[in-house]
Amino acid sequence: MEILDGKKAAQAIKDELKMEVAQLAVEGKKIPHLAAILVGNNGASETYVAAKVKACDEVGFKSTLVRFEADIPSVKLLEKVQELNNDPDVDGILVQLPLPKHIRERDVIDAIDPDKDVDGFHPVNIGKMLQGLPSFVPATPHGIMLLLEHFKVETKGKHAVVVGRSNIVGRPMSILLSSNSNPGNCTVTICHSHTQNLKELCLQADIIVAALGKPEFVTADMVKEGAVVVDVGITRLEDSTRKSGFKLKGDVQFDTVAPKCSWITPVPGGVGPMTIAALMKNTFVSCKMKN
Ligand code: NDP
């Protein structure tokens, strides 16, 4: 069994970006600028946004963090998005999800200029991705593809089972894995909460992508020998023995599943860092298009 080390792969991507940004500076060109909007003070969202801002610093991007109270009226948030759309210095806009219940996430995502939608959630980008056209690919599935590429995991002709069909992970993941590309060219089965024979399907999988948000859901009896397992799940479970007061759990029961796998991602240190690396890559591309 080998570890799909997301920290290592993400570092390689960030190192490359850092060199490219330094080159832009030498040439007197524009430096990438990511603007992140954080609404409220959800602990997990705070952590994710802080990690994204830190990654910007690491690679030499400019970053702006815009914070709003949880009760901000929807219209104010939309105004801010519009302002960032119109700011020629901003290359990428991300609105950290989830948003408070009174704000319709769809409206906010739709308001972002597709050319600055570095999270890749805008319908224009999703549509382009579906057709295999250049687009911003959602950061988490994009990061997983970069991870498979980095470790040269063979995907062609394999049966991939994606558990979860969300717009930000499961669905785009299934499209990317089935696309005519490398990595890609998988035969894909996409599962959800109404799938009846999930265990049997997983047992047929050469590649499992677990993205359902249920800690340790995928157990050893669901995985065939030699499978590649990508664990997207991140759930915070209370743990009073830790300083933070919680521990992170993936959707895969790592200790029992890992011995059966050819490759497996850890949690933390697998998909998480790759999501951020993919976001950095998207922001760089957005800036380069302007340059
Ligand atoms: P969602 O809650 O939006 O989607 C979960 C999906 O899993 C749904 O499609 C749901 O089915 C399906 N599902 C739920 N229970 C079952 C079940 N028992 N059997 C089969 N399918 C099931 O979650 P996200 O896609 O946003 O996130 C999934 C996980 O990934 C979460 O833990 C999240 O924190 C994590 N995540 C991690 C990221 C990273 O960078 N590592 C980035 C983004 C997310 P249905 O559609 O029928 O309800």
Side-chain angles (χ1 to χ4, degrees):
M1 179 272 296
E2 293 193 73
I3 295 287
L4 287 166
D5 185 339
K7 268 194 192 163
K8 201 169 151 187
Q11 194 57 54
I13 290 168
K14 286 189 287 183
D15 288 346
E16 205 174 298
L17 284 175
K18 193 175 173 176
M19 284 197 306
E20 297 200 57
V21 173
Q23 186 58 33
L24 288 179
V26 167
E27 291 169 11
K29 291 183 175 160
K30 190 184 157 350
I31 298 298
H33 180 183
L34 176 70
I37 301 181
L38 178 60
V39 182
N41 48 12
N42 173 289
S45 294
E46 294 263 4
T47 309
Y48 298 145
V49 169
K52 290 166 188 175
V53 169
K54 182 166 165 258
C56 285
D57 291 344
E58 276 180 61
V59 297
F61 290 3
K62 225 170 127 179
S63 67
T64 302
L65 174 57
V66 183
R67 301 190 68 123
F68 290 113
E69 295 296 329
D71 60 357
I72 181 182
S74 196
V75 62
K76 286 271 172 232
L77 180 58
L78 291 168
E79 272 171 24
K80 189 69 202 181
V81 169
Q82 210 50 54
E83 187 189 314
L84 295 171
N85 282 343
N86 295 335
D87 183 341
D89 192 55
V90 171
D91 303 296
I93 302 169
L94 82 84
V95 179
Q96 186 64 44
L97 303 180
L99 290 170
K101 289 215 161 47
H102 68 281
I103 301 174
R104 286 203 335 192
E105 287 185 356
R106 187 74 268 159
D107 292 347
V108 178
I109 291 167
D110 289 357
I112 297 173
D113 178 347
D115 289 340
K116 297 189 178 189
D117 168 43
V118 286
D119 253 338
F121 297 161
H122 193 283
V124 166
N125 283 313
I126 299 285
K128 285 184 176 175
M129 179 190 64
L130 261 173
Q131 297 186 31
L133 298 170
S135 64
F136 292 121
V137 173
T140 299
H142 186 193
I144 294 170
M145 297 301 272
L146 293 170
L147 186 66
L148 296 172
E149 188 182 16
H150 181 88
F151 288 100
K152 300 187 170 52
V153 176
E154 183 60 78
T155 59
K156 189 165 74 179
K158 305 287 184 193
H159 179 205
V161 170
V162 178
V163 189
R165 60 174 166 185
S166 72
N167 287 336
I168 63 169
V169 188
R171 266 171 206 258
M173 191 72 246
S174 67
I175 291 157
L176 295 173
L177 285 170
S178 64
S179 59
N180 187 359
S181 58
N182 183 25
N185 281 316
C186 290
T187 303
V188 178
T189 302
I190 181 157
C191 303
H192 45 76
S193 65
H194 300 280
T195 300
Q196 300 219 328
N197 52 345
L198 188 68
K199 182 178 169 185
E200 287 71 23
L201 289 167
C202 285
L203 277 168
Q204 291 167 28
D206 304 306
I207 300 169
I208 297 176
V209 179
L212 66 161
K214 299 242 165 12
E216 300 196 324
F217 181 89
V218 176
T219 46
D221 60 335
M222 296 166 75
V223 178
K224 81 172 177 192
E225 286 290 338
V228 176
V229 174
V230 176
D231 188 351
V232 184
I234 306 179
T235 304
R236 287 179 169 213
L237 295 180
E238 254 182 57
D239 183 349
S240 56
T241 66
R242 290 174 190 239
K243 207 171 128 201
S244 62
F246 65 85
K247 63 180 167 199
L248 297 180
K249 273 278 170 222
D251 287 346
V252 176
Q253 196 177 71
F254 185 90
D255 291 345
T256 60
V257 171
K260 297 184 87 174
C261 297
S262 54
W263 293 95
I264 185 166
T265 59
V267 176
V271 174
M274 293 308 293
T275 297
I276 294 176
L279 178 72
M280 296 298 118
K281 254 189 126 114
N282 283 350
T283 308
F284 183 79
V285 168
S286 175
C287 174
K288 227 175 156 193
M289 286 185 329
K290 289 202 194 83
N291 267 327

